[in-house]
Amino acid sequence: QVHLVESGGGSVQAGGSLRLSCAASGYNFSAYCMAWFRQAPGKERERVATISNAGGTSTYYADSLNGRFTVSRDSANNMLYLQMSSLQPEDTAMYYCARGPGPWRMCRTAVTTADFDYWGQGTQVTVSS
């Protein structure tokens, strides 16, 4: 059974940093690309970052991040990470990790929530000004 469990959220002031983690279990983690999404109150869930399977050598980031976030993975330990820096109040949201459709050639076109089949419960990030 596939399980994704996020952790690392919290409350920080603008300009601060947080590192989110996602622990995966129940499947061959290395075989699947992974993504981070976020959802702010009253807004749609949006894709933040995607990382390729295995060594995670390919990544995608939302343009709005302006290089402030870094996605990484430790496939040996079934872990996904999102390092967030220079956080702004507009980054306030529930953050979710999600499993993509498989290898990178499939994930390059995985854009919407429907393209990702398993989700964690989310971890809240609140940034105050």
Side-chain angles (χ1 to χ4, degrees):
Q1 188 173 3
V2 176
H3 280 293
L4 300 173
V5 180
E6 302 94 337
S7 61
S11 297
V12 297
Q13 290 191 328
S17 299
L18 282 174
R19 188 195 196 203
L20 306 184
S21 300
C22 172
S25 62
Y27 71 103
N28 182 6
F29 179 72
S30 182
Y32 291 81
C33 64
M34 297 292 294
W36 287 99
F37 283 74
R38 67 184 179 185
Q39 188 167 20
K43 295 188 176 181
E44 292 188 355
R45 193 169 297 190
E46 64 172 348
R47 186 169 58 126
V48 173
T50 306
I51 188 167
S52 58
N53 58 308
T57 55
S58 297
T59 55
Y60 156 87
Y61 295 96
D63 291 339
S64 60
L65 299 180
N66 294 318
R68 297 180 295 116
F69 292 7
T70 302
V71 60
S72 62
R73 66 188 295 160
D74 177 358
S75 289
N77 291 297
N78 295 352
M79 294 295 296
L80 175 72
Y81 302 102
L82 185 68
Q83 179 67 48
M84 307 185 294
S85 61
S86 301
L87 284 162
Q88 300 300 314
E90 53 265 34
D91 295 316
T92 295
M94 186 73 79
Y95 284 72
Y96 301 89
C97 64
R99 190 180 80 167
W104 189 240
R105 67 179 185 277
M106 299 174 68
C107 295
R108 283 182 294 184
T109 56
V111 177
T112 70
T113 57
D115 297 318
F116 295 81
D117 58 356
Y118 286 94
W119 296 79
Q121 83 290 347
T123 186
Q124 177 68 38
V125 172
T126 302
V127 185
S128 58
S129 58

